[in-house]
Amino acid sequence: MLTYLFRSAASWTAIGLAGGLGYREFTKLHDYTGFTQLALVHTHAIVWGTIFMLVLLSLAIVLPGLAGDARMRWGVHLLNGGLALTVGMLGFKGSLQVLGADWADHPGLAGVSGLGHMTLTAALVLLLLAIGRQTKALSATSLPLDVDEDAREMADPR
């Protein structure tokens, strides 16, 4: 799970950077200056894909049972799938907007994008349930902290 989270973060970084470059070059090529959903590809991929995956990776390292939790696995897979659908539709609709296609505002496109957002919502619910379970389990153990001599000296340098 840890490797999967890291690879997901790295992949979304590449997608986000390519999306930003693609947006800049595609709009410049077509002399487009208005708003387009193509501009949102970069931020969605970087924030949801890169940063969120790195936060999940950190939590999986800190919370011992999180990486093995089935809700976590399903949540991460749904997150990747929902994000792929959402970012893909942002890119598709944004490209149609730049090209001036009449059907760029078709309700069907919004419906597919909505499915991506619903999938992201389901992923967040599963991830929060998994994190909540592991946080509760960690709180229940309440092991005493073992403070070594160096740490005591750093805390009280007299």
Side-chain angles (χ1 to χ4, degrees):
M1 176 57 65
L2 299 179
T3 303
Y4 181 73
L5 286 167
F6 174 76
R7 288 182 179 162
S8 294
S11 298
W12 285 114
T13 300
I15 292 167
L17 294 175
L21 178 65
Y23 160 71
R24 188 187 72 199
E25 294 302 319
F26 193 62
T27 54
K28 189 180 353 175
L29 178 68
H30 293 283
D31 294 323
Y32 188 83
T33 57
F35 173 76
T36 173
Q37 289 196 353
L38 197 56
L40 303 176
V41 170
H42 172 74
T43 53
H44 274 69
I46 295 293
V47 173
W48 278 98
T50 304
I51 295 173
F52 197 68
M53 289 293 177
L54 290 175
V55 167
L56 288 175
L57 175 62
S58 300
L59 286 171
I61 291 169
V62 172
L63 297 171
L66 189 59
D69 193 315
R71 292 177 185 177
M72 173 73 169
R73 274 193 311 279
W74 276 99
V76 172
H77 291 310
L78 280 176
L79 182 67
N80 273 326
L83 189 55
L85 186 56
T86 300
V87 168
M89 287 307 296
L90 286 171
F92 182 65
K93 183 175 179 175
S95 297
L96 292 176
Q97 289 170 332
V98 171
L99 295 172
D102 293 336
W103 53 285
D105 293 324
H106 191 277
L109 296 177
V112 176
S113 295
L115 287 174
H117 282 85
M118 286 186 270
T119 306
L120 288 173
T121 301
L124 286 175
V125 168
L126 286 172
L127 292 169
L128 286 172
L129 288 171
I131 293 166
R133 177 189 288 172
Q134 296 306 315
T135 303
K136 185 177 179 181
L138 190 62
S139 297
T141 58
S142 64
L143 296 173
L145 293 176
D146 182 23
V147 180
D148 65 357
E149 193 63 37
D150 292 334
R152 279 189 218 142
E153 287 177 15
M154 288 183 0
D156 188 19
R158 290 187 243 176

